[in-house]
Amino acid sequence: MKNVEGYLQAARKEKSALLFVLIDSENDGEGSATTLAREAEKNGASAILVGGSSATDQITMAETVKKIKGSVKIPVVLFPGNVTGVVPGADAILFSSLLNSENPYFISQAQALGAPNVLKFGLEPLPTAYIIIGEGTTVWHVGSVRTIPFDKPGLAAIYALSAQFLGMRFVYLEAGSGAKSNVTPEMVAAVRKLFKGFLIVGGGIRNKETAAEIVKAGADAIVIGTFIEKGGSFKTIADIVKTIESIRN
Ligand code: 1GP
């Protein structure tokens, strides 16, 4: 697909919010990546993200991307945790800077090392500020994060504002894969107030009630990974999509 950003903006105009399904190439869980992606598409997901902070096997990742790409029409977007997450065959990449990392590698160095392959593989870069909330998750550990506590929405908001001033068109508020707590609606609302771009929220979302609260607070898209990876039902996914699409904000 050409112009994934345009597709996402157009889809967002039509629906109140979108669902992205995250597939970790190293953990197919209860189903194969292809089956999960097909089911996700069938039940209303707008994009498939492939990656994760502990997915480092480029060969498996490239194979997974290729398989998924061959079985769905919705865009396949890389969600790299490192330079190893840049592989051929996807439509786009969340070209992210982990803004609240204490290690410059995750803010700009991995990006410099990864950029030539983004160009070489013809991946559409979606300029994204990746902001980690809370602690104790894999991404928090791997990304050397100076965390933002869940009850400090103002801190997330100023990072998002700086992302906007830096020209990033996407912000991803991340509680971490399988997080016990999701990003609070209060924090989403504080970020929404200042950030005008496309707001993605993920980590620990497992039901339609939480998804609805986050969308009402201003998220443009939510991400669900662990729930599906652990065999959660696609009926719930369909319910979540129906719920978030019908909220007008
Ligand atoms: C993780 O935000 C994504 O990077 C999705 O989180 O796995 O908790 O759904 P879950």
Side-chain angles (χ1 to χ4, degrees):
M1 180 188 285
K2 295 270 170 264
N3 192 8
V4 172
E5 186 169 354
Y7 155 87
L8 294 175
Q9 298 291 6
R12 169 61 184 88
K13 266 194 193 140
E14 242 175 64
K15 303 162 181 176
S16 335
L18 313 179
L19 171 73
F20 298 164
V21 164
L22 170 64
I23 296 180
D24 186 332
S25 56
E26 286 181 4
N27 190 357
D28 275 6
E30 308 224 338
S32 77
T34 324
T35 314
L36 295 183
R38 268 205 204 110
E39 284 296 315
E41 177 177 57
K42 205 167 90 192
N43 287 286
S46 294
I48 304 290
L49 304 185
V50 184
S53 34
S54 57
T56 51
D57 178 347
Q58 272 185 301
I59 297 171
T60 309
M61 175 110 48
E63 282 166 0
T64 307
V65 165
K66 199 174 166 199
K67 277 194 285 181
I68 295 175
K69 192 62 201 138
S71 41
V72 297
K73 290 202 174 65
I74 52 175
V76 178
V77 179
L78 299 178
F79 176 41
N82 210 323
V83 287
T84 48
V86 184
V87 299
D91 298 293
I93 179 167
L94 290 181
F95 197 78
S96 314
S97 173
L98 206 179
L99 285 194
N100 60 326
S101 177
E102 290 194 310
N103 183 347
Y105 178 79
F106 293 105
I107 304 170
S108 63
Q109 292 169 1
Q111 291 72 9
L113 294 171
N117 278 344
V118 171
L119 186 65
K120 186 172 169 189
F121 301 155
L123 301 165
E124 177 185 340
L126 306 175
T128 305
Y130 194 42
I131 304 170
I132 311 295
I133 317 301
E135 55 187 32
T137 55
T138 304
V139 69
W140 164 82
H141 174 82
V142 173
S144 310
V145 169
R146 180 182 180 89
T147 201
I148 296 174
F150 282 100
D151 62 354
K152 297 282 181 205
L155 288 179
I158 58 175
Y159 272 94
L161 184 61
S162 77
Q164 175 148 309
F165 291 165
L166 286 163
M168 294 162 164
R169 297 189 293 277
F170 294 77
V171 158
Y172 190 149
L173 284 183
E174 171 74 278
S177 189
K180 290 191 191 91
S181 326
N182 52 274
V183 176
T184 64
E186 291 73 22
M187 186 176 278
V188 175
V191 168
R192 179 75 292 169
K193 231 171 147 182
L194 294 178
F195 179 65
K196 308 296 174 218
F198 196 99
L199 178 55
I200 305 168
V201 180
I205 304 172
R206 299 173 187 87
N207 58 53
K208 65 176 179 190
E209 290 76 18
T210 308
E213 281 182 344
I214 289 172
V215 168
K216 276 185 197 152
D220 295 305
I222 59 158
V223 182
I224 296 188
T226 305
F227 174 80
I228 290 164
E229 209 174 86
K230 293 210 162 139
S233 98
F234 276 96
K235 188 183 167 302
T236 306
I237 292 297
D239 260 6
I240 290 174
V241 171
K242 212 171 124 202
T243 306
I244 63 172
E245 283 186 356
S246 59
I247 293 167
R248 288 278 153 222
N249 45 37

